[in-house]
């Protein structure tokens, strides 16, 4: 799956490079576009964050480790400035993003289910839970843009995301399961005994959320972008009950853009 | 400040934010009896503590007409009714209710005191009850014996409860150990080596051999230390002479071994074989039971003797066997220790003799009926 995203990134980069080359040669067209109030930006960046329950349920006793993947983002942004002052605008974009994280947490009396062979093992887990989440998405941000001064722009608005590849798996270890409820039979998992799970198929393909941030023009064409994306729906399908709380994707994105 | 520093700062800040969101620890939901003591030197064995049942085996000189006042250690914060240390009469089993610290959960324990408990010596496997598991999604057979007085005298142990976890079973006959028709006279016990499915394989335990034994099964150890989950033996006050009964055996098609990575690999030319034996051993404060790590270990100094079938083989017809109880080299039965209940006996059977190491053939089936331990008549 990794190779797919790199291939997409490579193709997108080539396309953008050719657009840049073409647009550089056609300054006349560029001027016309600018007069009409359009602004084109290609950007790349990375993000930091994860999918987290809000607030953390009391069953989560400790976050032992959290390591975000080095996420990649590559996108196009078109802004249409409004009015003569060009203070306000609307921006629509298309971005390819990878998102991933690894977490290790200690939980107490945490409701869990394992499904197999058409049957269900449910119970309460006390111990370690390791989770790996990785998603590749096409994100469409639709934002209102406000120009604060010559260099600084602020933007805010919703985004839509379509995940074309989803992984969510991990295992529980170093703890014990009470079968059914806290009074059920106790099964200790220690040493290398692990109960693994894979909920990749239970992840939603469509997500939406809010996105807001700033864009600072360091040079005439080069901007530095920083924004926060906040997912508004659970990353899991609503029919999925095993993880008994919702996980929301929250990311801080930082990147560079080139404005034509 | 370069990008790396910015990231380090954001990372530290976000971890701090997440940590600061950790809520107060919820009160304990469990309501276990963790340990039990009886004041005075009255116990002959360590207490056997199950999830809902506790067995206290006392010395022969303890009068059950006098009340006993067991003291319990519970899950932190839990409470027990009647309270720990209450003197009660244990001629009949007593019932205790433990309530969790959060007040949401209750568990009832039956506490039974045994003295000079003479187990049956003949086993017909005619009595089973069905134990529901996984919230009633499946149920398995539990064999028990009726004593001369018409009362239940003994419960056979098996790993059926842990097999439920593999999510492969539904009705009793889909578990590794179950009752079936077609015995010598009425019903018989059937032990079948079964696959534990994908989640058993992920735990590197791809099969579960049918097993049935006198002793207790400690399910908490079943996942990580399966050899230690089978506590073989119960106090025994007789001197065994021979072990007899009937068996049928059909080995499964492909014998496989589980390697250290959990792969279940065929071993060409090897055929599965069952186990069926009795073993007598001396208990000490350090060794309260034999388990899968040492049960027939020739170097185990605690073992007094055993009765094993030398020529066990596959057969579609019932095979009658009778084998002598043989003292191990240099071992004798001390009549005083026998009277004081220092010895344990275990009857052990398995559909795959290497099943405790997760080697065997899926489908291997052992049927057993009319077992008998013949003992020296006491003067």
């Amino acid at each position: 799956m990794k190779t797919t995203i790199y291939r997409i990134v490579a193709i997108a980069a080539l396309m953008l490079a050719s657009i840049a080359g073409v647009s550089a040669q056609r300054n006349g067209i560029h001027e016309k576009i600018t007069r009409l109030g359009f602004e084109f930006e290609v950007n790349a960046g990375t993000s930091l964050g994860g999918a987290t329950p809000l607030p953390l349920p009391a069953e989560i006793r400790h976050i032992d480790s959290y390591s975000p993947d080095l996420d990649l983002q590559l996108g196009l942004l078109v802004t249409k400035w409004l009015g003569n002052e060009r203070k306000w605008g609307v921006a629509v974009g298309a971005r390819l993003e990878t998102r991933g994280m690894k977490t290790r947490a200690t939980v107490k009396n945490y409701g869990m289910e394992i499904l197999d062979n058409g049957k269900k093992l449910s119970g309460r887990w006390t111990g370690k839970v390791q989770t790996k989440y990785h998603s590749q998405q096409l994100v469409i941000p639709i934002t209102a843009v406000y120009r604060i001064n010559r260099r600084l722009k602020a933007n805010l608005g919703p985004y839509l995301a379509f995940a074309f590849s989803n992984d969510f798996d991990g295992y529980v270890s170093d703890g014990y399961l009470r079968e059914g409820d806290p009074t059920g039979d106790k099964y200790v998992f220690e040493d290398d005994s692990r109960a693994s799970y894979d909920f990749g198929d239970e992840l939603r393909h469509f997500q939406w959320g809010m996105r807001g941030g700033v864009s600072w023009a360091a040079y005439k064409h080069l901007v530095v972008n920083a924004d926060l994306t906040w997912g508004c729906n659970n990353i899991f399908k609503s029919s999925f009950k095993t993880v008994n709380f919702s996980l929301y994707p929250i990311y801080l994105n930082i990147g560079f853009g080139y404005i034509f | 400040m370069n990008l790396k520093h910015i990231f380090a700062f954001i990372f530290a800040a976000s971890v701090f934010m997440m940590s600061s969101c950790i809520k107060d620890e919820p009160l304990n939901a469990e309501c276990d009896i963790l340990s039990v003591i009886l004041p005075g030197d009255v116990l002959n064995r360590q207490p056997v503590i199950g999830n809902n049942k506790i067995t206290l085996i006392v010395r022969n000189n303890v009068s059950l007409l006098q009340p006993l006042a067991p003291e319990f250690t519970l899950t932190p914060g839990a409470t027990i009714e009647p309270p720990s240390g209450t003197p009660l009469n244990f001629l009949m089993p007593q019932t205790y209710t433990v309530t969790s610290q959060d007040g949401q959960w209750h568990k009832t324990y039956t506490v039974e005191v045994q003295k000079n408990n003479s187990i049956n010596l003949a086993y017909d496997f005619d009595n089973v009850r069905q134990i529901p598991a996984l919230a009633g999604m499946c149920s398995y057979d539990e064999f028990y014996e009726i004593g001369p007085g018409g009362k239940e005298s003994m419960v056979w142990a098996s790993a059926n409860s842990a097999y439920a976890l593999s999510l492969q079973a539904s009705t009793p006959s889909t578990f590794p150990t179950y009752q079936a028709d077609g015995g010598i006279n009425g019903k018989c016990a059937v032990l079948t080596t079964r696959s534990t499915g994908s989640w058993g394989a992920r735990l590197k335990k791809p099969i579960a051999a049918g097993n049935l034994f006198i002793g207790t099964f400690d399910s908490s150890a079943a996942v990580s230390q399966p050899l230690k989950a089978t506590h073989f033996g119960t106090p025994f006050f007789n001197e065994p002479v021979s072990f007899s009964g009937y068996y049928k055996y059909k080995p499964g098609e492909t014998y496989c071994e589980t390697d250290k990575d959990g792969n279940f690999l065929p071993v060409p030319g090897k055929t599965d074989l069952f186990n069926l034996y009795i073993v007598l051993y001396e208990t000490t404060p350090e060794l309260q039971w034999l388990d899968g790590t040492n049960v027939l270990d020739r170097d185990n100094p605690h073992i007094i003797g055993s009765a094993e079938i030398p020529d066990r083989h596959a057969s579609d017809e019932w095979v009658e066997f009778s084998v002598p109880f043989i003292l191990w080299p240099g071992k004798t039965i001390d009549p005083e220790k026998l009277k004081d209940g220092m010895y344990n006996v275990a009857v052990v059977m398995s559909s795959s003799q290497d099943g405790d190491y997760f080697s065997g053939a899926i489908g291997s089936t052992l049927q057993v009926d009319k077992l008998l331990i013949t003992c020296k008549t006491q003067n």
Side-chain angles (χ1 to χ4, degrees):
Chain A
M1 224 45 221
K2 273 250 154 92
T3 49
T4 317
I5 189 78
Y6 290 137
R7 201 169 299 153
I8 291 169
V9 167
I11 291 167
L14 280 172
M15 281 166 60
L16 291 171
S18 58
I19 290 170
V22 168
S23 66
Q25 286 166 9
R26 299 188 179 178
N27 264 332
I29 295 172
H30 182 252
E31 267 167 36
K32 271 181 201 161
I33 289 169
T34 310
R35 257 204 309 282
L36 287 170
F38 283 100
E39 182 182 296
F40 289 89
E41 175 187 328
V42 290
N43 50 45
T46 186
S47 67
L48 188 73
T52 177
L54 279 175
L56 283 181
E59 288 88 348
I60 296 182
R61 300 309 318 144
H62 190 248
I63 308 286
D64 305 326
S65 72
Y66 160 74
S67 59
D69 292 354
L70 180 64
D71 297 334
L72 294 173
Q73 306 179 338
L74 203 64
L76 252 177
L77 189 72
V78 182
T79 307
K80 167 81 173 91
W81 293 102
L82 305 172
N84 289 331
E85 291 172 22
R86 303 198 168 172
K87 270 261 180 222
W88 287 93
V90 182
V92 179
R95 294 161 71 90
L96 290 168
E97 299 189 356
T98 67
R99 290 174 169 185
M101 63 163 185
K102 239 185 252 167
T103 61
R104 200 169 155 88
T106 304
V107 300
K108 173 180 176 178
N109 199 37
Y110 175 92
M112 62 169 274
E113 284 176 358
I114 291 173
L115 297 154
D116 194 12
N117 197 31
K119 294 196 177 63
K120 183 174 78 180
L121 166 65
S122 63
R124 301 293 182 93
W125 175 259
T126 298
K128 306 273 182 204
V129 180
Q130 174 148 325
T131 304
K132 216 170 75 197
Y133 170 55
H134 188 79
S135 183
Q136 296 175 3
Q137 308 184 337
L138 176 69
V139 182
I140 313 283
I142 304 159
T143 52
V145 191
Y146 179 71
R147 190 184 290 283
I148 297 167
N149 60 36
R150 199 171 54 84
R151 281 176 179 273
L152 199 62
K153 293 179 290 184
N155 59 75
L156 182 70
Y159 70 86
L160 301 171
F162 173 74
F164 49 90
S165 156
N166 268 332
D167 298 304
F168 191 101
D169 53 36
Y171 59 85
V172 299
S173 64
D174 303 303
Y176 62 88
L177 174 73
R178 302 296 306 221
E179 197 250 297
D181 63 49
T183 68
D185 281 341
K186 183 174 179 172
Y187 295 92
V188 177
F189 288 64
E190 52 190 12
D191 303 327
D192 61 345
S193 291
R194 294 167 169 185
S196 54
Y197 57 83
D198 184 349
F199 299 143
D201 293 341
E202 307 295 341
L203 289 169
R204 250 177 226 282
H205 287 293
F206 282 101
Q207 293 174 5
W208 70 279
M210 294 301 288
R211 177 177 195 112
V214 291
S215 179
W216 183 71
Y219 298 100
K220 193 184 172 202
H221 289 289
L222 190 73
V223 291
V224 179
N225 298 317
D227 55 63
L228 186 73
T229 57
W230 194 292
C232 291
N233 50 6
N234 184 3
I235 64 168
F236 288 112
K237 294 170 185 168
S238 52
S239 59
F240 180 64
K241 303 283 183 217
T242 301
V243 176
N244 61 3
F245 45 80
S246 298
L247 289 169
Y248 299 98
I250 299 169
Y251 285 89
L252 182 72
N253 311 291
I254 291 176
F256 300 93
Y258 182 89
I259 295 179
F260 294 99
Chain B
M1 206 155 139
N2 63 24
L3 205 60
K4 214 163 144 188
H5 288 127
I6 295 171
F7 268 99
F9 171 74
I10 292 165
F11 178 76
S14 58
V15 169
F16 172 75
M17 276 162 62
M18 285 175 93
S19 304
S20 62
C21 297
I22 301 274
K23 291 190 174 174
D24 289 340
E25 180 161 350
L27 298 176
N28 291 328
E30 287 162 297
C31 32
D32 292 336
I33 293 179
L34 302 175
S35 68
V36 51
I37 55 166
L38 276 177
D41 184 23
V42 297
L43 286 173
N44 194 26
R45 291 283 191 287
Q46 281 174 16
V48 180
I49 303 177
N51 198 33
N52 302 96
K53 187 184 172 191
I54 293 177
T55 308
L56 301 169
I57 299 167
V58 296
R59 296 189 193 286
N60 285 353
N61 58 6
V62 175
S63 167
L64 291 188
L65 296 171
Q66 300 293 325
L68 294 169
E71 293 168 11
F72 303 100
T73 317
L74 310 171
T75 305
T79 55
I80 189 165
E81 193 57 43
S84 183
T86 306
L88 295 171
N89 183 303
F90 279 91
L91 280 172
M92 293 290 282
Q94 289 283 355
T95 304
Y96 291 83
T97 302
V98 184
T99 301
S100 62
Q101 186 181 36
D102 67 6
Q104 306 264 324
W105 301 96
H106 307 274
K107 193 157 68 169
T108 304
Y109 280 86
T110 305
V111 179
E112 181 186 44
V113 174
Q114 286 181 1
K115 185 181 104 173
N116 219 347
N117 189 49
S118 49
I119 58 162
N120 301 39
L121 300 175
Y123 314 106
D124 288 336
F125 305 106
D126 285 337
N127 304 306
V128 290
R129 63 182 144 243
Q130 293 187 357
I131 308 291
L134 299 186
M137 276 189 297
C138 56
S139 63
Y140 59 87
D141 282 343
E142 182 178 83
F143 287 90
Y144 62 95
E145 298 293 335
I146 302 286
K151 276 199 326 189
E152 187 176 315
S153 62
M154 189 190 101
V155 179
W156 285 90
S158 81
N160 273 348
S161 63
Y163 187 73
L165 246 66
S166 74
L167 303 173
Q168 302 301 303
S170 48
T171 59
S173 63
T174 59
F175 276 84
T177 304
Y178 53 100
Q179 189 191 49
D181 292 326
I184 292 289
N185 185 0
K187 311 271 189 180
C188 63
V190 187
L191 289 74
T192 301
T193 301
R194 298 201 186 274
S195 161
T196 55
S198 57
W199 121 247
R202 284 202 290 273
L203 285 171
K204 301 180 184 176
K205 294 165 183 64
I207 57 165
N211 68 356
L212 192 62
F213 57 96
I214 292 179
T216 52
F217 182 73
D218 175 12
S219 59
S220 71
V223 174
S224 298
Q225 296 185 299
L227 291 173
K228 297 203 163 171
T230 45
H231 299 182
F232 300 118
T234 196
F236 200 59
F237 301 88
N238 298 294
E239 193 176 332
V241 174
S242 67
F243 177 47
S244 59
Y246 296 83
Y247 72 82
K248 278 186 194 179
Y249 188 62
K250 190 176 186 327
E253 269 183 30
T254 314
Y255 184 94
C256 297
E257 280 176 2
T258 301
D259 69 12
K260 64 175 174 29
D261 298 322
N263 300 309
F264 195 52
L265 307 168
V267 181
K270 194 158 178 181
T271 308
D272 207 357
L273 193 59
F274 65 97
N275 249 344
L276 176 57
Y277 59 86
I278 65 171
V279 59
L280 184 83
Y281 63 96
E282 184 180 342
T283 61
T284 61
E286 294 75 38
L287 184 126
Q288 292 280 303
W289 58 75
L290 297 179
D291 59 32
T293 64
N294 59 3
V295 64
L296 276 189
D297 188 346
R298 301 290 152 187
D299 299 327
N300 188 330
H302 293 268
I303 297 177
I304 302 296
S306 61
E308 301 169 57
I309 305 168
D311 58 340
R312 50 196 197 280
H313 55 85
S315 170
D316 291 337
E317 301 298 321
W318 286 104
V319 178
E320 187 177 3
F321 71 93
S322 178
V323 287
F325 176 79
I326 295 171
L327 289 171
W328 283 24
K331 296 291 174 186
T332 54
I333 294 174
D334 180 337
E336 284 304 309
K337 287 182 178 173
L338 191 65
K339 212 177 93 208
D340 289 344
M342 301 308 288
Y343 294 117
N344 265 11
V345 78
V347 177
V348 179
M349 43 193 130
S350 170
S351 53
S352 295
Q353 61 178 0
D354 304 321
D356 43 2
Y357 292 93
F358 304 99
S359 294
I362 290 171
S364 290
T365 300
L366 172 70
Q367 295 182 65
V368 171
D369 203 6
K370 281 193 137 6
L371 298 184
L372 176 70
I373 306 175
T374 305
C375 295
K376 236 178 218 169
T377 40
Q378 284 156 317
N379 319 331

